[in-house]
Amino acid sequence: MTTEASAVLGERRHLTNLAYRLLGSLAEAEDAVQETYARWYGLPARQREAIASPGGWLTTVATRICLDVLGSARVRRERYVGAWVPEPLPDHTEWTRRVVDPADQVTLDESVHMAFLVVLESMTPAERVALVLHDVFRYPFAEVAGILDRSPGACRELASSARRRVRAARTPSSGQDADLVRDFRQAWEARDIEALVPLLAPDATMTADGGGVVGAALRPVEGGERIARYLVHFAEKTAGLTLLERTVNGQPGLVAQRDGVTVTVAAFSGSGGRVTRIWAVRNPEKLGAWV
């Protein structure tokens, strides 16, 4: 393998990390990266050799592919049954969907915490790209402008607007309390509503994603007591359910299994020692990375 070819392939992990944050779906991110490389190798050799920065070219193309996907995704998600939640990722040591090349692994930092990814979903595609490229990957606005075909000033304003959305959502930047998640698991496992309620903020919200494939609440469940009763009811009607403490997108979370098969992955956000948000992914199409 030539030095140039090695350098080009060495961009794969960066592209996967970028595409997952932009799309919230590992499957779509991998498709975007594959399409990016297909376009690179589809160029005539002389044209590839004339590109001064292959990494910059690949990033630009991958981002523009993601922009196209985000545009069509908005239409698809309008037809999605129930709420759409980003695809959850396990810790690298627990990855089981397939034997994964390290180049495909997503770095699990604050920019993939479920709370942050959900806020990204509320942004326009351009806001999302500007924020992720500049604030997460530290691209200067001059480079972001070249990718988005806008002026640096316009890209700066897009990122500023995106930050306001993040602040308005009060997205936590610190790690979720593992002890809180453990207490939550024990209370849920015991089907103890009275123990669950104090662990939930009175205005807590739970969003479930079944994708119309499996049963899930079609609308967010609001209020700590309502969530507690919903979870206990779910446990009671699902025989043989096992709850496991696992890392979900880099933070403590829970995995529900039945007969060794993962049926739900739950990510949490908390404040003041209580759970404020739960995102429960039940759509089996989004659980391929989990046992």
Side-chain angles (χ1 to χ4, degrees):
M1 182 182 295
T2 65
T3 301
E4 179 184 336
S6 179
V8 167
L9 291 176
E11 294 292 323
R12 186 167 140 199
R13 184 167 189 176
H14 165 71
L15 297 176
T16 301
N17 273 275
L18 172 64
Y20 173 74
R21 286 161 176 79
L22 291 177
L23 302 176
S25 164
L26 187 61
E28 289 182 346
E30 290 172 336
D31 288 345
V33 172
Q34 287 296 106
E35 175 62 21
T36 299
Y37 277 109
R39 294 187 187 184
W40 170 262
Y41 288 111
L43 294 173
R46 183 173 299 177
Q47 192 170 341
R48 290 202 305 271
E49 292 167 1
I51 295 173
S53 173
W57 187 95
L58 291 166
T59 295
T60 297
V61 171
T63 303
R64 289 176 176 170
I65 290 171
C66 289
L67 277 169
D68 291 340
V69 174
L70 286 170
S72 61
R74 283 179 173 263
V75 176
R76 293 199 309 274
R77 288 169 194 171
E78 287 175 0
R79 300 193 298 264
Y80 197 81
V81 179
W84 189 95
V85 175
E87 181 180 346
L89 297 181
D91 184 80
H92 294 151
T93 60
E94 299 170 356
W95 198 288
T96 58
R97 181 165 66 160
R98 59 188 181 279
V99 177
V100 178
D101 188 310
D104 289 329
Q105 293 182 347
V106 174
T107 303
L108 301 176
D109 59 21
E110 290 181 0
S111 64
V112 296
H113 289 177
M114 190 62 73
F116 185 71
L117 292 178
V118 169
V119 177
L120 289 179
E121 284 296 313
S122 70
M123 301 176 187
T124 67
E127 285 176 333
R128 190 166 182 162
V129 167
L131 182 74
V132 170
L133 282 177
H134 181 268
D135 287 24
V136 177
F137 290 96
R138 303 303 178 187
Y139 280 79
F141 282 119
E143 291 186 33
V144 178
I147 293 172
L148 284 176
D149 287 328
R150 304 193 186 201
S151 70
C155 293
R156 188 175 289 105
E157 180 54 39
L158 284 169
S160 179
S161 174
R163 288 188 209 105
R164 287 194 293 270
R165 291 178 184 263
V166 173
R167 288 194 296 269
R170 297 178 182 177
T171 306
S173 58
S174 59
Q176 180 57 50
D177 187 348
D179 290 336
L180 176 58
V181 174
R182 180 171 298 109
D183 292 343
F184 193 93
R185 176 189 63 80
Q186 292 172 349
W188 187 9
E189 214 164 33
R191 302 174 189 176
D192 188 341
I193 293 177
E194 292 185 358
L196 270 174
V197 171
L199 299 175
L200 290 152
D203 60 349
T205 302
M206 183 183 75
T207 303
D209 180 346
V213 181
V214 297
L218 296 179
R219 295 179 178 82
V221 181
E222 299 179 343
E225 186 170 346
R226 289 188 64 198
I227 294 171
R229 294 188 181 281
Y230 179 93
L231 290 172
V232 169
H233 175 70
F234 174 78
E236 288 176 341
K237 73 175 185 179
T238 310
L241 197 67
T242 301
L243 298 177
L244 305 171
E245 296 171 38
R246 292 289 186 267
T247 297
V248 180
N249 284 61
Q251 291 186 297
L254 293 178
V255 170
Q257 293 185 342
R258 184 171 55 191
D259 299 327
V261 177
T262 296
V263 295
T264 303
V265 173
F268 295 82
S269 178
S271 179
R274 290 186 172 188
V275 173
T276 56
R277 292 294 304 267
I278 303 173
W279 296 277
V281 179
R282 303 204 64 231
N283 185 346
E285 295 177 1
K286 296 183 177 183
L287 301 178
W290 302 80
V291 174

